[in-house]
Amino acid sequence: MMPAQILGWFVRRWQVEVTFEETRAHLGMETQRQWSAPAISRTTPAILALYSVVTLLAKPLFEQGLVAIRTAAWYDKQVATFSDTIALVRRYLWYA
C-alpha cells in the first residue's frame, strides 16, 4: 500500500477509536460490570445508544453557541470533546 493510503485509513479509524475511548471514560463501557458475555450483550447497545442520544441532544445546543470548551493551562483545546458535550447536556437537563 502507498503511505498516503495507509495514513488515510488511520485517520478514518482514529474517529472510531476516540468514540470508544470516550464511551469507556464517560459511560462505563468495558468496565468490571461487563465481564460476562450476557452483560456485554445487554449493556453495550444501551451505552452506544446513550452516546448517540447525548450527541443528538447536544447538536442544537452547539448550534445555539451554548457550548463551553473546558481547557487547562497545559492543554488548549479548540474543538469540544465528548467530555465537554456530556457536560453541556447535563447542564441543559439540570436547568431545563
Side-chain angles (χ1 to χ4, degrees), residues 71-87:
T71 62
W74 61 89
Y75 183 55
D76 183 34
K77 292 188 296 186
Q78 301 300 317
V79 179
T81 61
F82 186 72
S83 176
D84 299 317
T85 304
I86 199 167

Side-chain angles (χ1 to χ4, degrees), residues 46-68:
I47 290 171
L48 290 175
L50 179 59
Y51 188 91
S52 298
V53 168
V54 168
T55 303
L56 290 172
L57 287 172
K59 185 178 184 317
L61 301 174
F62 273 99
E63 290 170 351
Q64 295 172 20
L66 298 177
V67 67

Side-chain angles (χ1 to χ4, degrees), residues 2-95:
M2 299 298 294
Q5 188 174 19
I6 294 170
L7 285 173
W9 290 338
F10 179 78
V11 168
R12 282 185 281 180
R13 173 90 178 147
W14 184 251
Q15 293 173 346
V16 174
E17 291 296 328
V18 170
T19 299
F20 283 121
E21 177 56 34
E22 295 285 340
T23 59
R24 285 183 201 103
H26 301 288
L27 301 177
M29 182 177 278
E30 294 182 349
T31 60
Q32 292 178 354
R33 295 176 298 225
Q34 287 194 304
W35 279 359
S36 68
I40 292 169
S41 297
R42 286 189 306 268
T43 59
T44 300
I47 290 171
L48 290 175
L50 179 59
Y51 188 91
S52 298
V53 168
V54 168
T55 303
L56 290 172
L57 287 172
K59 185 178 184 317
L61 301 174
F62 273 99
E63 290 170 351
Q64 295 172 20
L66 298 177
V67 67
I69 298 175
R70 295 180 291 178
T71 62
W74 61 89
Y75 183 55
D76 183 34
K77 292 188 296 186
Q78 301 300 317
V79 179
T81 61
F82 186 72
S83 176
D84 299 317
T85 304
I86 199 167
L88 172 67
V89 171
R90 281 182 184 146
R91 279 192 308 271
Y92 174 76
L93 293 175
W94 288 339
Y95 299 111

